[in-house]
Amino acid sequence: MIVPGLDFLLVTRLAMMKGRMAALRATLGIATGVAAWGLAGFFGIRALFIASPWLYTLLKVGGGLYLFIQGARLFAGSWKHAPAEGQPANPAFATTRAFRMGLLTNLANPKAPIFVSSLFAAALPQHASIGLGLTCVGTMFVIAVAWFSLVATVLSLRHVSRAFLRLRHWIDRASGLAFMALGIRFATERTAG
């Protein structure tokens, strides 16, 4: 989703810890997830979830588990000593993991398909053309790229990331706990019948 949340947290952390390129690659992953949910929303994923509630339950539990594991890794890693400033912890990170992390973080959020399908149901006419639907999905993709690129650019500035590095362990602990809490919430909350 485009509102500040897990996606925003991921881009923020990557921009400050791994640099602008890692955050921009995650941005493309997030925007791809937004587009995937947009297409699914336009083509009626809400109807599928109503017809097969177990699919939504599977998405919630799987997404919650993914977020919990990512949060636990972040929290556990916050207790380790960080490499010296200016030395990336893993130089290959930006090319091998950032896009995937962005995509999976967005796709693991079970609120995203409900949000997107509700948005389409409320904003589009009942029999909207495929062209209109694809235009809306494209617009969502562009907005996500623009917003998270701005976040990545601003937060990867040297003076901003230096301030973050001073507080990194506490921010990582809080972020890890937030991911774990949301993962538990997503996996355990009851579906409205």
Side-chain angles (χ1 to χ4, degrees):
M1 295 175 42
I2 299 171
V3 295
L6 296 175
D7 298 335
F8 182 81
L9 183 62
L10 176 66
V11 171
T12 298
R13 187 173 185 288
L14 287 176
M16 294 182 181
M17 295 301 304
K18 304 294 184 183
R20 182 176 299 138
M21 289 311 297
L24 291 174
R25 285 187 176 92
T27 291
L28 288 177
I30 290 165
T32 301
V34 166
W37 284 129
L39 288 170
F42 179 71
F43 289 110
I45 198 167
R46 185 170 187 266
L48 178 63
F49 286 157
I50 290 170
S52 302
W54 64 271
L55 283 174
Y56 182 65
T57 301
L58 183 67
L59 173 67
K60 282 179 21 137
V61 172
L65 182 61
Y66 171 78
L67 294 174
F68 183 85
I69 290 169
Q70 292 305 313
R73 287 181 178 165
L74 187 58
F75 185 79
S78 74
W79 299 95
K80 297 176 183 172
H81 290 290
E85 187 178 343
Q87 297 176 333
N90 180 358
F93 180 89
T95 58
T96 60
R97 292 183 56 201
F99 177 87
R100 186 180 64 215
M101 284 180 72
L103 178 63
L104 291 177
T105 297
N106 188 272
L107 293 179
N109 183 352
K111 301 291 184 188
I114 300 304
F115 172 79
V116 170
S117 60
S118 299
L119 182 66
F120 279 128
L124 290 179
Q126 184 177 5
H127 300 290
S129 70
I130 291 178
L132 178 59
L134 293 178
T135 299
C136 291
V137 170
T139 301
M140 293 167 63
F141 179 86
V142 169
I143 291 170
V145 168
W147 168 246
F148 288 115
S149 293
L150 175 65
V151 170
T153 300
V154 169
L155 296 179
S156 64
L157 296 172
R158 183 173 297 267
H159 66 280
V160 175
S161 53
R162 251 187 268 150
F164 174 81
L165 286 173
R166 285 193 296 276
L167 301 171
R168 173 187 174 203
H169 296 296
W170 292 105
I171 292 170
D172 283 355
R173 290 171 191 151
S175 300
L177 290 172
F179 267 70
M180 288 189 290
L182 285 170
I184 291 169
R185 179 177 165 218
F186 289 160
T188 60
E189 80 180 345
R190 297 180 63 98
T191 304

